[in-house]
Short mmCIF file of all heavy atoms in Angstrom, two decimals:
data_model
loop_
_atom_site.label_atom_id
_atom_site.label_comp_id
_atom_site.label_asym_id
_atom_site.label_seq_id
_atom_site.Cartn_x
_atom_site.Cartn_y
_atom_site.Cartn_z
N LEU A 38 110.44 41.71 67.68
CA LEU A 38 110.32 40.57 68.59
C LEU A 38 110.84 39.34 67.86
O LEU A 38 110.29 38.95 66.83
CB LEU A 38 108.87 40.37 69.03
CG LEU A 38 108.62 39.18 69.97
CD1 LEU A 38 109.38 39.34 71.29
CD2 LEU A 38 107.13 39.01 70.23
N LEU A 40 111.40 35.41 68.06
CA LEU A 40 110.96 34.21 68.77
C LEU A 40 111.77 33.01 68.31
O LEU A 40 111.90 32.77 67.11
CB LEU A 40 109.48 33.95 68.51
CG LEU A 40 108.50 35.04 68.95
CD1 LEU A 40 107.08 34.67 68.54
CD2 LEU A 40 108.57 35.28 70.45
N TRP A 55 112.02 33.44 64.48
CA TRP A 55 110.90 34.01 63.71
C TRP A 55 110.83 35.48 64.10
O TRP A 55 110.66 35.81 65.27
CB TRP A 55 109.60 33.27 64.04
CG TRP A 55 108.40 33.81 63.32
CD1 TRP A 55 107.65 34.87 63.71
CD2 TRP A 55 107.82 33.33 62.11
NE1 TRP A 55 106.63 35.09 62.81
CE2 TRP A 55 106.72 34.15 61.82
CE3 TRP A 55 108.12 32.28 61.25
CZ2 TRP A 55 105.92 33.96 60.72
CZ3 TRP A 55 107.32 32.10 60.13
CH2 TRP A 55 106.23 32.92 59.87
N ILE A 57 109.32 39.23 64.17
CA ILE A 57 108.10 40.03 64.09
C ILE A 57 108.47 41.51 64.16
O ILE A 57 109.06 41.95 65.16
CB ILE A 57 107.12 39.68 65.23
CG1 ILE A 57 106.80 38.18 65.21
CG2 ILE A 57 105.85 40.52 65.12
CD1 ILE A 57 105.95 37.74 66.40
N VAL A 126 106.95 38.71 59.54
CA VAL A 126 105.60 39.27 59.60
C VAL A 126 105.71 40.69 60.13
O VAL A 126 106.64 41.03 60.88
CB VAL A 126 104.67 38.41 60.49
CG1 VAL A 126 105.08 38.48 61.95
CG2 VAL A 126 103.20 38.80 60.33
N ILE A 128 103.38 43.87 61.98
CA ILE A 128 102.15 44.24 62.68
C ILE A 128 102.02 45.76 62.67
O ILE A 128 102.98 46.48 63.00
CB ILE A 128 102.18 43.73 64.14
CG1 ILE A 128 102.18 42.20 64.17
CG2 ILE A 128 101.00 44.28 64.93
CD1 ILE A 128 102.34 41.61 65.56
N PHE A 152 99.65 42.23 59.38
CA PHE A 152 98.47 42.22 60.24
C PHE A 152 98.23 43.65 60.69
O PHE A 152 99.12 44.29 61.25
CB PHE A 152 98.68 41.31 61.46
CG PHE A 152 98.58 39.84 61.16
CD1 PHE A 152 99.59 39.19 60.47
CD2 PHE A 152 97.47 39.11 61.55
CE1 PHE A 152 99.50 37.84 60.17
CE2 PHE A 152 97.37 37.76 61.27
CZ PHE A 152 98.38 37.12 60.58
N THR A 173 93.62 42.23 61.73
CA THR A 173 94.01 41.48 62.92
C THR A 173 92.77 40.93 63.62
O THR A 173 91.86 41.69 63.96
CB THR A 173 94.78 42.38 63.90
OG1 THR A 173 95.85 43.03 63.19
CG2 THR A 173 95.36 41.57 65.05
N PRO A 174 92.70 39.61 63.81
CA PRO A 174 91.50 39.01 64.41
C PRO A 174 91.37 39.36 65.89
O PRO A 174 92.36 39.68 66.55
CB PRO A 174 91.73 37.50 64.22
CG PRO A 174 93.21 37.35 64.14
CD PRO A 174 93.72 38.59 63.46
N PRO A 175 90.15 39.31 66.43
CA PRO A 175 89.94 39.68 67.83
C PRO A 175 90.30 38.55 68.80
O PRO A 175 90.21 37.37 68.46
CB PRO A 175 88.44 39.98 67.88
CG PRO A 175 87.86 39.08 66.82
CD PRO A 175 88.89 39.04 65.73
N PHE A 176 90.69 38.95 69.98
CA PHE A 176 90.83 38.05 71.11
C PHE A 176 89.82 38.53 72.14
O PHE A 176 90.02 39.56 72.79
CB PHE A 176 92.25 38.09 71.67
CG PHE A 176 92.51 37.12 72.80
CD1 PHE A 176 92.98 35.85 72.53
CD2 PHE A 176 92.28 37.48 74.11
CE1 PHE A 176 93.22 34.95 73.56
CE2 PHE A 176 92.52 36.60 75.15
CZ PHE A 176 92.99 35.32 74.88
N ASP A 182 90.42 31.46 72.59
CA ASP A 182 91.35 30.43 72.15
C ASP A 182 92.36 31.06 71.20
O ASP A 182 92.06 31.34 70.04
CB ASP A 182 90.61 29.29 71.46
CG ASP A 182 91.50 28.10 71.14
OD1 ASP A 182 92.74 28.26 71.14
OD2 ASP A 182 90.96 27.00 70.87
N TRP A 183 93.56 31.30 71.70
CA TRP A 183 94.57 32.00 70.91
C TRP A 183 94.95 31.23 69.65
O TRP A 183 95.39 31.84 68.66
CB TRP A 183 95.82 32.27 71.75
CG TRP A 183 96.62 31.03 72.09
CD1 TRP A 183 96.49 30.24 73.20
CD2 TRP A 183 97.67 30.44 71.30
NE1 TRP A 183 97.38 29.20 73.16
CE2 TRP A 183 98.12 29.30 72.01
CE3 TRP A 183 98.26 30.76 70.08
CZ2 TRP A 183 99.15 28.48 71.53
CZ3 TRP A 183 99.27 29.95 69.60
CH2 TRP A 183 99.71 28.83 70.32
N ARG A 184 94.77 29.90 69.65
CA ARG A 184 95.17 29.10 68.49
C ARG A 184 94.37 29.45 67.24
O ARG A 184 94.84 29.26 66.12
CB ARG A 184 95.01 27.62 68.84
CG ARG A 184 95.91 27.16 69.99
CD ARG A 184 95.54 25.77 70.46
NE ARG A 184 94.16 25.70 70.94
CZ ARG A 184 93.59 24.61 71.40
NH1 ARG A 184 94.27 23.47 71.46
NH2 ARG A 184 92.32 24.63 71.81
N LYS A 185 93.16 29.99 67.44
CA LYS A 185 92.34 30.39 66.30
C LYS A 185 92.87 31.66 65.63
O LYS A 185 92.42 32.01 64.53
CB LYS A 185 90.89 30.59 66.73
CG LYS A 185 90.21 29.31 67.21
CD LYS A 185 88.77 29.57 67.61
CE LYS A 185 88.09 28.30 68.10
NZ LYS A 185 86.68 28.54 68.51
N THR A 186 93.79 32.34 66.27
CA THR A 186 94.37 33.56 65.69
C THR A 186 95.68 33.26 64.96
O THR A 186 96.37 34.19 64.55
CB THR A 186 94.61 34.62 66.77
OG1 THR A 186 95.65 34.18 67.67
CG2 THR A 186 93.34 34.87 67.57
N SER A 187 96.00 31.98 64.80
CA SER A 187 97.19 31.58 64.06
C SER A 187 96.80 31.39 62.59
O SER A 187 96.57 30.28 62.12
CB SER A 187 97.77 30.28 64.64
OG SER A 187 98.94 29.92 63.95
N LEU A 188 96.70 32.50 61.87
CA LEU A 188 96.29 32.48 60.47
C LEU A 188 97.50 32.22 59.58
O LEU A 188 98.59 32.74 59.82
CB LEU A 188 95.64 33.82 60.10
CG LEU A 188 94.48 34.30 60.99
CD1 LEU A 188 93.95 35.63 60.49
CD2 LEU A 188 93.38 33.26 61.06
N GLN A 189 97.29 31.44 58.54
CA GLN A 189 98.39 31.20 57.59
C GLN A 189 98.81 32.51 56.92
O GLN A 189 97.96 33.36 56.64
CB GLN A 189 97.94 30.21 56.53
CG GLN A 189 97.76 28.81 57.06
CD GLN A 189 97.47 27.80 55.96
OE1 GLN A 189 97.22 28.15 54.82
NE2 GLN A 189 97.51 26.53 56.31
N LEU A 191 101.24 32.18 59.31
CA LEU A 191 101.87 32.07 60.64
C LEU A 191 102.07 30.59 60.98
O LEU A 191 101.24 29.75 60.62
CB LEU A 191 100.99 32.73 61.70
CG LEU A 191 100.72 34.23 61.60
CD1 LEU A 191 99.84 34.68 62.76
CD2 LEU A 191 102.01 35.02 61.55
N PRO A 192 103.12 30.27 61.70
CA PRO A 192 103.25 28.89 62.18
C PRO A 192 102.19 28.61 63.23
O PRO A 192 101.67 29.54 63.88
CB PRO A 192 104.66 28.87 62.79
CG PRO A 192 104.94 30.29 63.16
CD PRO A 192 104.24 31.12 62.13
N ASN A 193 101.84 27.34 63.43
CA ASN A 193 100.72 27.03 64.33
C ASN A 193 101.04 27.29 65.79
O ASN A 193 100.14 27.27 66.63
CB ASN A 193 100.27 25.57 64.14
CG ASN A 193 101.29 24.57 64.67
OD1 ASN A 193 102.47 24.87 64.81
ND2 ASN A 193 100.83 23.37 64.97
N TRP A 194 102.28 27.58 66.11
CA TRP A 194 102.65 27.88 67.51
C TRP A 194 102.62 29.38 67.81
O TRP A 194 102.98 29.80 68.91
CB TRP A 194 104.03 27.30 67.82
CG TRP A 194 105.11 27.61 66.83
CD1 TRP A 194 105.46 26.86 65.75
CD2 TRP A 194 105.97 28.76 66.82
NE1 TRP A 194 106.49 27.46 65.06
CE2 TRP A 194 106.83 28.62 65.70
CE3 TRP A 194 106.10 29.87 67.64
CZ2 TRP A 194 107.80 29.57 65.40
CZ3 TRP A 194 107.07 30.82 67.33
CH2 TRP A 194 107.90 30.66 66.23
N LEU A 195 102.15 30.20 66.85
CA LEU A 195 102.09 31.65 67.02
C LEU A 195 100.75 32.19 66.59
O LEU A 195 100.25 31.85 65.51
CB LEU A 195 103.21 32.32 66.19
CG LEU A 195 103.15 33.84 66.03
CD1 LEU A 195 103.35 34.53 67.38
CD2 LEU A 195 104.21 34.30 65.02
N GLY A 196 100.13 33.03 67.41
CA GLY A 196 98.90 33.72 67.06
C GLY A 196 99.06 35.21 67.24
O GLY A 196 99.78 35.68 68.14
N ILE A 197 98.39 35.99 66.39
CA ILE A 197 98.39 37.46 66.49
C ILE A 197 96.95 37.92 66.53
O ILE A 197 96.15 37.57 65.65
CB ILE A 197 99.13 38.10 65.30
CG1 ILE A 197 100.61 37.69 65.30
CG2 ILE A 197 99.00 39.62 65.34
CD1 ILE A 197 101.37 38.17 64.07
N SER A 198 96.60 38.68 67.56
CA SER A 198 95.21 39.11 67.73
C SER A 198 95.17 40.52 68.33
O SER A 198 96.21 41.11 68.61
CB SER A 198 94.44 38.13 68.62
OG SER A 198 95.07 37.99 69.89
N ARG A 199 93.94 41.01 68.53
CA ARG A 199 93.76 42.38 69.01
C ARG A 199 92.69 42.42 70.09
O ARG A 199 91.62 41.81 69.94
CB ARG A 199 93.37 43.30 67.85
CG ARG A 199 93.44 44.79 68.18
CD ARG A 199 93.11 45.60 66.96
NE ARG A 199 93.35 47.02 67.17
CZ ARG A 199 92.60 48.00 66.69
NH1 ARG A 199 91.55 47.71 65.95
NH2 ARG A 199 92.89 49.26 66.91
N ILE A 213 97.65 44.84 70.93
CA ILE A 213 98.02 43.71 70.09
C ILE A 213 98.52 42.60 71.00
O ILE A 213 99.35 42.83 71.89
CB ILE A 213 99.10 44.08 69.07
CG1 ILE A 213 98.58 45.17 68.12
CG2 ILE A 213 99.56 42.85 68.29
CD1 ILE A 213 97.44 44.73 67.23
N LEU A 214 98.02 41.39 70.76
CA LEU A 214 98.41 40.23 71.55
C LEU A 214 99.19 39.27 70.65
O LEU A 214 98.66 38.76 69.67
CB LEU A 214 97.16 39.55 72.11
CG LEU A 214 97.32 38.52 73.22
CD1 LEU A 214 97.84 39.18 74.49
CD2 LEU A 214 96.00 37.83 73.49
N MET A 215 100.45 39.06 70.97
CA MET A 215 101.28 38.07 70.27
C MET A 215 101.45 36.88 71.20
O MET A 215 102.12 36.98 72.23
CB MET A 215 102.63 38.68 69.89
CG MET A 215 102.53 39.75 68.81
SD MET A 215 103.92 40.91 68.81
CE MET A 215 103.40 42.05 70.12
N THR A 216 100.80 35.77 70.87
CA THR A 216 100.73 34.60 71.74
C THR A 216 101.49 33.45 71.10
O THR A 216 101.36 33.20 69.90
CB THR A 216 99.26 34.20 71.97
OG1 THR A 216 98.49 35.37 72.28
CG2 THR A 216 99.15 33.22 73.12
N PHE A 217 102.28 32.73 71.90
CA PHE A 217 103.14 31.70 71.32
C PHE A 217 103.40 30.59 72.33
O PHE A 217 103.40 30.79 73.54
CB PHE A 217 104.47 32.30 70.85
CG PHE A 217 105.07 33.31 71.80
CD1 PHE A 217 105.91 32.91 72.83
CD2 PHE A 217 104.78 34.66 71.66
CE1 PHE A 217 106.46 33.83 73.70
CE2 PHE A 217 105.31 35.60 72.55
CZ PHE A 217 106.15 35.18 73.56
N ASP A 218 103.60 29.40 71.77
CA ASP A 218 103.99 28.22 72.54
C ASP A 218 105.34 27.78 71.99
O ASP A 218 105.41 27.22 70.88
CB ASP A 218 102.95 27.11 72.41
CG ASP A 218 103.26 25.90 73.29
OD1 ASP A 218 104.42 25.76 73.72
OD2 ASP A 218 102.34 25.11 73.55
N PHE A 224 99.32 20.13 69.58
CA PHE A 224 98.24 20.60 70.46
C PHE A 224 97.18 19.52 70.63
O PHE A 224 95.99 19.81 70.77
CB PHE A 224 97.61 21.88 69.90
CG PHE A 224 98.59 22.99 69.73
CD1 PHE A 224 99.00 23.40 68.47
CD2 PHE A 224 99.16 23.61 70.83
CE1 PHE A 224 99.91 24.41 68.30
CE2 PHE A 224 100.08 24.63 70.67
CZ PHE A 224 100.46 25.03 69.41
N ALA A 234 100.31 29.02 77.09
CA ALA A 234 101.11 29.76 76.11
C ALA A 234 101.60 31.05 76.76
O ALA A 234 101.14 31.45 77.83
CB ALA A 234 100.28 30.06 74.87
N GLU A 235 102.55 31.70 76.10
CA GLU A 235 103.06 32.99 76.58
C GLU A 235 102.58 34.09 75.63
O GLU A 235 102.27 33.84 74.47
CB GLU A 235 104.58 32.98 76.64
CG GLU A 235 105.14 31.96 77.61
CD GLU A 235 106.66 31.94 77.60
OE1 GLU A 235 107.23 31.30 76.69
OE2 GLU A 235 107.25 32.56 78.49
N ALA A 236 102.52 35.30 76.15
CA ALA A 236 102.04 36.41 75.33
C ALA A 236 102.85 37.67 75.60
O ALA A 236 103.28 37.93 76.73
CB ALA A 236 100.56 36.68 75.60
N VAL A 237 103.03 38.45 74.55
CA VAL A 237 103.54 39.81 74.65
C VAL A 237 102.39 40.73 74.26
O VAL A 237 101.81 40.59 73.17
CB VAL A 237 104.75 40.04 73.73
CG1 VAL A 237 105.13 41.52 73.68
CG2 VAL A 237 105.94 39.21 74.19
N VAL A 259 96.81 31.52 79.01
CA VAL A 259 97.81 32.41 78.45
C VAL A 259 98.50 33.14 79.61
O VAL A 259 97.83 33.73 80.46
CB VAL A 259 97.19 33.45 77.49
CG1 VAL A 259 98.23 34.46 77.03
CG2 VAL A 259 96.56 32.75 76.28
#
Side-chain angles (χ1 to χ4, degrees):
L38 179 62
L40 299 177
W55 179 276
I57 304 174
V126 68
I128 295 174
F152 284 74
T173 309
F176 184 90
D182 187 342
W183 70 269
R184 297 170 300 179
K185 295 181 180 179
T186 67
S187 182
L188 307 180
Q189 290 187 350
L191 297 181
N193 70 337
W194 49 268
L195 169 65
I197 296 174
S198 57
R199 192 177 188 218
I213 298 295
L214 194 66
M215 291 157 278
T216 314
F217 42 88
D218 185 341
F224 302 109
E235 297 178 279
V237 171
V259 174

